[in-house]
């Protein structure tokens, strides 16, 4: 038995991120997870006060303790961000950038895992018509592996590109043919860069997960017939890796557009899905919608050294100021379960997921999203459970 007491860096962030993290930590204690928590400053408050939403002291904490449990942050467009900055800092030429993206880049958290699994009895589960007009509720168990640092979100982009870049582009015959007549000032260019190293890491992580947890297939969800270089490289590498090291796992290949259509047709057929940054983002939101949406969508960002676990949802500022919080804590709790699996506490995560399954199946306690209400402060008066009541019920069912 591993009796070492862990230190977890708790990163509450903004808005509902604070509530769901606090409740999740309370639940973890009841579930028998013994840990010390140190709080890391992150988010809007620190941007306003210090001009940095991700202070160095937070980076240091993660460097030291390796594991972060993150709620959510508020981001705003450049101009709005500047407006809210402490007047004393306004002269400094500071530019706001998202601290979660900053974390992913600083620690090279290149592997993003987003599981989407149906809980029987969840009123938000996807249903469809089957043969003879029957209503079917497919059980979905998909895990999306999204490359988290490169591709279209890599940040290498220009409007009115500098001469060197323009000359580089103009050396490509397709550029000359399709864009050669466009004035440089009218061009905006975003790049989609894939490296072999990062592509191999996400592919291997996907195959290893499939083997370890018994998934039949790994699907590369890209568009290699059109995006030949990047998507093409990923699929080719997947073939090589599968042949050499994972012959027991099937390799499938779908195009992102077709995959989004098949999503509602046969989502139960898929197991592990692997994709680049943007297509991974899209396909994981698509699958999350089939299992309950933002109140249920969890994720892990894994680097070689540091890992951060977070729900997919944001800070939902609309709901942040309610006297009693109404949001669903399950996405955050599930993210904590991913953390437990990662640090070698699968017994505790199993217990927590068992409790979630019982509470959902029983259906007595449901947050507003599960009751298909629109969010407002009075949903509790109408029978929806508060964040705290839901957490209490999960604790009772452990
Ligand atoms: P959001 O995810 O915060 O909220 C969108 C809507 O989803 C909410 O209004 C609510 O109806 C629902 N929702 C979200 N979480 C829920 C939960 N736990 N239970 C029940 N319903 C839930 O996205 P939005 O409104 O687009 O962004 C709000 C702020 O969050 C922005 O500043 C945005 O930049 C930031 N954001 C941060 C993320 C992060 O910290 N990783 C991710 C996405 C957005
Ligand atoms: Mg997204």
């Amino acid at each position: 038995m591993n009796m070492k007491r862990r230190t977890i860096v708790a990163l509450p962030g903004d808005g509902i991120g604070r509530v769901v993290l606090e409740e999740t930590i309370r639940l973890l204690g009841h579930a028998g997870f013994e840990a010390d928590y140190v709080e890391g400053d992150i988010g809007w408050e620190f941007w306003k006060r210090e001009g940095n939403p991700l202070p160095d002291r937070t980076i240091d904490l993660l460097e030291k303790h390796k594991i972060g449990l993150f709620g959510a942050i508020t981001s705003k467009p450049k101009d709005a961000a500047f407006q809210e900055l402490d007047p004393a800092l306004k002269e400094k030429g500071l530019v706001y950038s998202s601290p979660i993206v900053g974390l992913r880049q600083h620690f090279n958290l290149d592997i993003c895992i987003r599981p989407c699994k149906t809980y029987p009895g969840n009123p938000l589960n996807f249903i469809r018509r089957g043969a003879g007009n029957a209503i079917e509720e497919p059980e979905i168990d998909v895990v999306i592996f999204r490359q988290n640092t490169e591709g279209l979100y890599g940040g290498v982009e220009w409007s009115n590109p500098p001469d060197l870049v323009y000359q580089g582009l103009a050396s490509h015959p397709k550029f000359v043919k399709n864009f050669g007549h466009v004035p440089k000032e009218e061009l905006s260019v975003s790049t989609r860069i894939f490296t072999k190293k990062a592509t191999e890491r996400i592919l291997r992580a996907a195959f290893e997960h499939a083997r370890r947890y018994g998934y039949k297939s790994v699907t590369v969800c890209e568009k290699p017939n059109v995006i030949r270089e990047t998507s093409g490289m990923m699929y080719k590498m997947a073939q090589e890796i599968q042949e050499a090291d994972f012959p027991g796992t099937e390799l499938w290949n779908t195009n992102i557009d077709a995959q989004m259509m098949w999503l509602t047709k046969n989502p139960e057929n898929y197991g592990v899905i692997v994709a680049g940054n943007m297509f991974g983002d899209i396909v994981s939101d698509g699958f999350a919608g089939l299992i309950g949406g933002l109140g249920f969508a969890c994720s892990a960002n894994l680097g070689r050294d540091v890992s951060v676990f977070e729900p997919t949802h944001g800070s939902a500022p609309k709901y942040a100021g309610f006297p009693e919080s109404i949001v669903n804590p399950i996405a955050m709790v599930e993210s904590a379960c991913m953390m437990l699996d990662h640090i070698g506490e699968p017994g505790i995560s199993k217990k927590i997921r068992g409790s979630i399954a019982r509470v959902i199946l029983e259906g007595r306690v449901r947050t507003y999203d599960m009751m298909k209400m629109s969010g407002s402060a009075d949903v509790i008066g109408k029978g929806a459970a508060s964040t705290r009541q839901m957490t209490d019920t999960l604790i009772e069912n452990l």
Side-chain angles (χ1 to χ4, degrees):
M1 275 276 278
N2 175 13
M3 298 308 258
K4 191 175 140 243
R5 205 177 159 88
R6 292 251 170 200
T7 301
I8 307 293
V9 182
L11 304 160
D14 303 305
I16 66 163
R18 307 195 70 84
V19 184
V20 291
L21 182 55
E22 190 185 317
E23 290 298 286
T24 296
I25 289 174
R26 185 164 72 88
L27 179 143
L28 285 171
H30 284 280
F33 179 55
E34 297 198 359
D36 298 314
Y37 296 89
V38 290
E39 185 165 328
D41 296 337
I42 189 167
W44 199 246
E45 285 314 305
F46 302 96
W47 162 252
K48 288 202 298 191
R49 255 192 269 153
E50 303 174 24
N52 184 0
L54 179 59
D56 290 345
R57 55 185 183 278
T58 304
I59 301 266
D60 293 343
L61 278 179
L62 279 164
E63 195 85 63
K64 180 163 176 208
H65 301 296
K66 314 296 185 207
I67 302 289
L69 200 50
F70 172 57
I73 48 91
T74 297
S75 274
K76 296 188 188 178
K78 251 194 206 162
D79 294 348
F82 185 75
Q83 293 253 313
E84 292 190 32
L85 195 55
D86 184 327
L89 296 170
K90 282 199 168 150
E91 309 289 287
K92 296 203 164 175
L94 300 165
V95 180
Y96 178 81
S97 68
S98 160
I100 180 64
V101 175
L103 272 182
R104 289 175 191 151
Q105 282 165 355
H106 182 90
F107 290 110
N108 194 17
L109 307 178
D110 63 331
I111 294 172
C112 177
I113 311 178
R114 294 182 166 181
C116 297
K117 193 171 177 350
T118 302
Y119 277 112
N122 185 349
L124 299 175
N125 285 344
F126 167 69
I127 55 170
R128 71 179 170 217
R129 292 271 178 206
N133 226 15
I135 290 181
E136 299 172 344
E137 187 174 318
E139 249 187 67
I140 298 155
D141 181 2
V142 164
V143 187
I144 291 106
F145 279 70
R146 164 192 175 192
Q147 207 296 323
N148 217 17
T149 47
E150 304 191 334
L152 263 174
Y153 300 170
V156 182
E157 43 185 8
W158 304 268
S159 286
N160 188 9
D163 288 340
L164 265 180
V165 174
Y166 187 85
Q167 283 157 23
L169 292 168
S171 71
H172 196 296
K174 287 246 170 75
F175 181 88
V176 177
K177 180 159 171 267
N178 298 326
F179 306 102
H181 61 283
V182 182
K184 200 161 71 78
E185 311 76 61
E186 290 182 22
L187 284 174
S188 285
V189 180
S190 301
T191 61
R192 187 176 200 264
I193 300 173
F194 282 31
T195 65
K196 279 207 158 154
K197 212 179 228 171
T199 305
E200 176 160 0
R201 254 176 67 81
I202 193 75
L203 288 168
R204 286 199 177 274
F207 276 109
E208 264 151 28
H209 192 90
R211 181 157 65 192
R212 179 159 170 212
Y213 294 102
Y215 290 93
K216 173 173 102 174
S217 62
V218 168
T219 302
V220 175
C221 178
E222 279 283 324
K223 185 103 180 172
N225 51 337
V226 178
I227 315 175
R228 291 169 187 276
E229 300 305 327
T230 46
S231 291
M233 178 177 86
M234 183 177 253
Y235 186 60
K236 187 159 169 284
M237 287 178 75
Q239 287 175 307
E240 290 163 6
I241 290 169
Q242 187 257 355
E243 257 179 55
D245 297 327
F246 300 91
T249 306
E250 291 176 27
L251 171 63
W252 299 355
N253 174 26
T254 59
N255 288 337
I256 176 67
D257 48 345
Q259 180 74 68
M260 295 313 284
M261 182 187 63
W262 288 326
L263 205 61
T264 52
K265 224 173 162 195
N266 62 342
E268 68 271 43
N269 290 5
Y270 297 93
V272 171
I273 294 184
V274 59
N277 206 338
M278 186 190 206
F279 295 163
D281 200 11
I282 293 172
V283 75
S284 61
D285 274 12
F287 272 100
L290 306 179
I291 57 112
L294 288 175
F296 294 85
C298 57
S299 77
N301 302 283
L302 311 183
R304 285 183 173 75
D305 196 28
V306 171
S307 299
V308 176
F309 301 83
E310 55 158 337
T312 305
H313 65 72
S315 61
K318 276 191 295 190
Y319 307 162
F322 291 175
E324 173 89 56
S325 172
I326 64 164
V327 296
N328 191 343
I330 290 176
M332 181 81 238
V333 172
E334 287 272 358
S335 305
C337 287
M338 295 186 78
M339 174 189 80
L340 292 169
D341 290 341
H342 183 73
I343 64 179
E345 296 283 6
I348 304 178
S349 63
K350 193 170 169 209
K351 192 156 87 177
I352 297 173
R353 289 191 182 108
S355 165
I356 298 173
R358 268 190 296 280
V359 171
I360 290 176
L361 189 60
E362 207 183 42
R364 217 169 28 83
V365 177
R366 287 173 171 171
T367 43
Y368 83 95
D369 53 325
M370 299 173 75
M371 298 181 82
K372 303 176 195 242
M373 295 174 171
S374 69
S376 62
D378 62 359
V379 294
I380 294 170
K382 293 182 192 155
S386 68
T387 309
R388 197 177 171 85
Q389 286 167 334
M390 176 54 98
T391 313
D392 285 341
T393 311
L394 293 173
I395 290 169
E396 282 159 25
N397 277 271
L398 281 167

